């Protein structure tokens, strides 16, 4: 009971007089102050006016580092966009070239069919009325004469230099031998 009486006779509790609480708070507060840069390792208060120039230099270095990082990221973004645009252009060029090759192949087949029809029937296609077409306007030799028409090299290689008509006159189907 005597301990309890001693505690009660001391009066109101003061945290500043409690040694354990005082040590705990000094440690916590000093850690906070040190991490914030208000005190140094020895516990002395840092004079900001004395270290103002050092702080300005450090702040400028941080700003420079931020700008450098910003421009580096922007440059990477620009390179990514440029590569993507180049890929899209290459894809469009490939599609265009494929389309052009397909059209050339279709035209070559069409010319072969027209030549086969000319060889079979001796018909003149597309010339002016009453005359024959020139080589420059229709891309071929003088039309109208069966003797003047020769198979193209691609037809000769394919073996279709002698078109033969099946099923009678004028049905439009040809078989090559």
């Amino acid at each position: 009971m005597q301990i309890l009486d001693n505690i009660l006779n001391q009066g109101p509790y003061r945290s500043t007089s409690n040694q354990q609480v005082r040590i705990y708070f000094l440690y916590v507060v000093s850690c906070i102050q040190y991490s914030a840069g208000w005190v140094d390792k020895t516990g002395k208060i840092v004079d900001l006016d004395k270290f103002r120039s050092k702080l300005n230099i450090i702040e400028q270095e941080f700003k420079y580092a931020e700008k450098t990082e910003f421009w580096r990221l922007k440059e990477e973004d620009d390179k990514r966009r440029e590569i993507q645009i180049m890929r899209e252009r290459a894809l469009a060029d490939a599609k265009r070239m494929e389309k052009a090759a397909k059209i050339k192949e279709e035209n070559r087949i069409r010319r072969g069919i027209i030549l086969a029809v000319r060889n079979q029937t001796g018909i003149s296609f597309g010339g002016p009325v009453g005359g024959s077409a020139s080589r420059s306007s229709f891309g071929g030799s003088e039309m109208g004469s069966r003797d003047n028409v020769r198979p193209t090299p691609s037809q000769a290689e394919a073996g279709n230099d002698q078109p033969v008509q099946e099923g009678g006159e004028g049905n439009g189907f040809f078989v090559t031998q």
Side-chain angles (χ1 to χ4, degrees):
M1 277 309 246
Q2 197 174 18
I3 297 174
L4 186 59
D5 286 337
N6 285 341
I7 293 174
L8 292 176
N9 289 336
Q10 288 180 358
Y13 175 74
R14 292 188 190 122
S15 62
T16 55
S17 63
N18 188 340
Q19 197 66 355
Q20 286 80 17
V21 172
R22 184 170 177 249
I23 292 171
Y24 172 74
F25 278 108
L26 281 176
Y27 175 74
V28 170
V29 170
S30 65
C31 287
I32 291 171
Q33 289 174 342
Y34 178 73
S35 65
W38 298 335
V39 294
D40 60 5
K41 288 183 180 179
T42 61
K44 294 180 184 177
I45 296 174
V46 174
D47 185 14
L48 292 180
D49 292 331
K50 185 178 177 183
F51 296 103
R52 181 85 50 201
S53 63
K54 289 182 182 179
L55 290 174
N56 285 338
I57 291 170
I58 292 171
E59 287 175 359
Q60 288 175 358
E61 287 179 2
F62 277 126
K63 286 179 184 177
Y64 178 74
E66 287 175 359
K67 282 183 182 179
T68 304
E69 183 67 14
F70 169 77
W71 287 109
R72 186 185 64 79
L73 291 175
K74 183 172 175 138
E75 201 171 285
E76 283 180 10
D77 249 7
D78 291 344
K79 283 182 181 179
R80 259 189 232 112
R81 279 193 200 105
E82 191 174 313
I83 289 171
Q84 186 173 358
I85 288 170
M86 288 173 55
R87 284 180 184 162
E88 289 172 359
R89 285 181 184 163
L91 184 62
D93 288 345
K95 283 182 182 179
R96 200 173 333 111
M97 295 295 282
E98 184 177 323
K99 197 173 188 179
K102 188 182 274 187
I103 289 171
K104 283 181 181 178
E105 180 64 20
E106 289 174 0
N107 287 341
R108 187 186 66 75
I109 292 171
R110 227 179 260 125
R111 281 193 304 269
I113 291 172
I114 290 172
L115 186 60
V117 169
R118 284 185 201 153
N119 283 340
Q120 181 65 29
T121 60
I123 297 175
S124 174
F125 290 98
V129 179
S132 61
S134 69
R135 176 180 278 264
S136 63
S137 62
F138 291 100
S141 61
E142 292 291 337
M143 293 189 274
S145 171
R146 189 173 177 151
D147 296 332
N148 289 338
V149 178
R150 293 189 182 128
T152 62
S154 60
Q155 285 178 329
E157 290 174 44
N160 55 356
D161 53 339
Q162 295 180 358
V164 177
Q165 186 173 9
E166 279 187 350
E169 292 182 17
N171 66 359
F173 294 102
F174 295 93
V175 176
T176 58
Q177 292 179 351

